[in-house]
Amino acid sequence: MKALRINDYGAALHLDEVPVPTAGPGQVLVENHFTSMNGVDPGRGLGFLRQVFPLQFPWTPGGDVAGRVAAIGEGVTTFKVGDEVFGYTREAGAYAEFVIVTATSLAHRPAAISAEEAAGIALVGQTATRMLELSKIKAGQTLLIMGASGGVGSLAVQLARDAGVHVLATARQSKAAALQELGAERVIDLAQQRLEEIQQVEAVLNLIGGDTVVPSYALVKPGGAAVTANRPPIAEEAARLGIEAAFVETNVTTEGLNAFATLVADGKVKPQIAAVETLWSPATLWEKRELDGIGKVVFSVRA
């Protein structure tokens, strides 16, 4: 089978021919049709998370999976060969034609959800849900979502809207209309307005990270919460300001996948797909790009 791999931290992606893996106890072999881009993929490849997720090389990145069950391992009773499924593999390996996924991180794909959409919600749907839980935001309060035009942010906007929360979002001005249609009451372009000038809110979801973390803490009212997705909390600064700080670690489960898929199938949440591209472009796959749409970049494995 074809797979994209890297040979060391910071090395370039390259295309390899490798054996099809075998499903072990509690595992499912999925014929992969679509995967998607998550920020953690290049981050792990560059070694930013090597203390948490040390890699063995050559390493195949990718977590999101949408496809068809090709084989099941011993003890798996919830899936059968031919089932249309989606899910996430924390161990990576989804940048390939076949992927091993733990059965407890896999779910049946409802007919109302396309395979492209399923690949775009496996990780980010549960991440958005968990971040909102950690924020402890309530109806009538105001939430700031930083980096709202991505996969997690575009879903968090919709979930917060449906919970009766007032949503402020940061994104490029070109994304404002789309985010407002999803439920953001105001979209702020940080190229035109300084972060420090934004009004105080009850909670912040920070999907940008970097040097925006400390300034975003100052936007949270005392007693509120700041949740980050790509940098651990700065406890000392949070304590000084009298706020809670949390870091989301998403554990993708069958139950969580089913719950989010129900929201999508019922039309309560609409996955945002910024683009569908072929997986087999290793030289440019992880390049930063300015897309017209919002949401996830989905990769077609079978194209």
Side-chain angles (χ1 to χ4, degrees):
M1 71 172 186
K2 292 192 296 184
L4 296 187
R5 304 202 289 181
I6 62 172
N7 289 334
D8 201 353
Y9 290 114
L13 285 165
H14 65 275
L15 179 62
D16 271 348
E17 283 288 335
V18 301
V20 175
T22 301
Q27 296 180 329
V28 176
L29 177 66
V30 178
E31 179 189 284
N32 200 15
H33 296 170
F34 292 92
T35 184
S36 74
M37 176 71 173
N38 290 306
V40 71
D41 298 334
R44 290 177 71 177
L46 289 168
F48 294 155
L49 300 173
R50 70 176 72 186
Q51 294 181 344
V52 182
F53 297 114
L55 305 181
Q56 291 187 336
F57 299 103
W59 177 68
T60 298
D64 292 323
V65 175
R68 183 178 297 113
V69 173
I72 57 174
E74 181 183 350
V76 175
T77 60
T78 49
F79 302 98
K80 64 181 186 300
V81 173
D83 284 351
E84 294 288 336
V85 294
F86 75 110
Y88 182 78
T89 169
R90 191 179 181 90
E91 292 75 19
Y95 287 5
E97 292 184 297
F98 290 87
V99 190
I100 293 293
V101 185
T102 302
T104 53
S105 297
L106 197 66
H108 293 93
R109 176 174 63 84
I113 301 176
S114 69
E116 294 96 322
E117 290 175 322
I121 63 172
L123 176 65
V124 296
Q126 291 187 59
T127 299
T129 300
R130 182 60 182 149
M131 290 187 81
L132 285 168
E133 290 172 349
L134 291 169
S135 76
K136 300 179 182 177
I137 198 73
K138 297 179 175 63
Q141 294 182 329
T142 301
L143 172 71
L144 172 65
I145 302 176
M146 298 176 60
S149 64
V152 176
S154 60
L155 298 178
V157 168
Q158 298 175 70
L159 293 171
R161 170 206 67 197
D162 289 348
V165 172
H166 301 291
V167 179
L168 306 183
T170 73
R172 292 182 183 273
Q173 193 58 42
S174 60
K175 317 287 188 183
L179 287 169
Q180 287 172 328
E181 186 175 341
L182 294 181
E185 296 180 11
R186 181 183 169 207
V187 179
I188 302 155
D189 188 337
L190 293 179
Q192 301 178 13
Q193 181 176 345
R194 295 174 61 235
L195 182 60
E196 294 81 358
E197 297 172 346
I198 300 176
Q199 71 186 70
Q200 281 202 312
V201 295
E202 278 77 21
V204 170
L205 306 187
N206 191 328
L207 300 162
I208 301 174
D211 58 7
T212 69
V213 174
V214 171
S216 71
Y217 281 12
L219 301 178
V220 181
K221 296 177 181 178
V227 186
T228 52
N230 49 24
R231 177 172 172 174
I234 304 172
E236 299 82 1
E237 180 65 9
R240 186 183 72 81
L241 294 170
I243 67 172
E244 293 186 31
F247 173 67
V248 64
E249 295 186 67
T250 307
N251 180 29
V252 176
T253 65
T254 300
E255 293 76 16
L257 291 166
N258 285 333
F260 202 85
T262 297
L263 293 176
V264 175
D266 290 347
K268 295 180 180 178
V269 174
K270 181 173 177 53
Q272 301 298 303
I273 306 300
V276 178
E277 303 176 358
T278 179
L279 179 68
W280 311 116
S281 299
T284 58
L285 199 73
W286 284 347
E287 285 186 352
K288 290 183 180 291
R289 66 201 85 178
E290 181 58 32
L291 300 166
D292 293 333
I294 63 175
K296 294 293 293 284
V297 176
V298 171
F299 299 131
S300 173
V301 181
R302 299 289 152 179

